Amino acid sequence: MPDAALGDTPSGGASAHAPDAVSAKQLLGEYIAACNHRPPDAFLNHLGGQVRKLLDEGIAPAHLRAALERHRAKGLSPSVLPSLVHEVMNATSPATTAAHRAWTNPTDVVAAYGDEL
């Protein structure tokens, strides 16, 4: 069996992309399909670059899709896409945040404060 030439990329291994991996081009195509009118090429090129960088960082396609949906709905600059991804990934649901509760005088002082009063 002949040795592989220097510089040849192996056909498998860690550097190979999964066959079902989502590409920046695919995500951008989904974005364009959801728009009423095709955005300008300069805008799409900038947005595509942002999507590619985020995919290369290992951001999940589901997070990118959600961020791109927010981006499309708000009509923002492509440069804010990383912020929208952060927002999507780290948003807390209203059910998990503690609701404000007004202070009330405890009815059982010993249970509330111990014997410190």
Side-chain angles (χ1 to χ4, degrees):
M1 182 178 269
D3 290 333
L6 289 176
D8 284 354
T9 304
S11 60
S15 64
H17 290 286
D20 59 343
V22 176
S23 69
K25 187 174 182 176
Q26 180 182 349
L27 290 172
L28 206 57
E30 293 171 9
Y31 180 91
I32 294 167
C35 291
N36 291 330
H37 301 282
R38 181 180 165 78
D41 284 342
F43 176 89
L44 293 175
N45 289 337
H46 188 183
L47 185 61
Q50 292 291 333
V51 171
R52 195 171 307 105
K53 286 179 190 176
L54 292 164
L55 282 172
D56 289 347
E57 283 183 36
I59 303 297
H63 290 141
L64 275 167
R65 281 188 176 101
L68 284 166
E69 176 58 31
R70 288 183 185 196
H71 184 272
R72 187 187 58 75
K74 294 179 179 184
L76 301 169
S77 167
S79 61
V80 301
L81 185 62
S83 295
L84 292 172
V85 168
H86 170 69
E87 182 181 303
V88 166
M89 290 172 45
N90 295 297
T92 57
S93 65
T96 60
T97 57
H100 175 72
R101 195 173 117 200
W103 182 85
T104 58
N105 199 7
T107 56
D108 185 358
V109 175
V110 174
Y113 301 107
D115 285 327
E116 296 178 18
L117 292 180

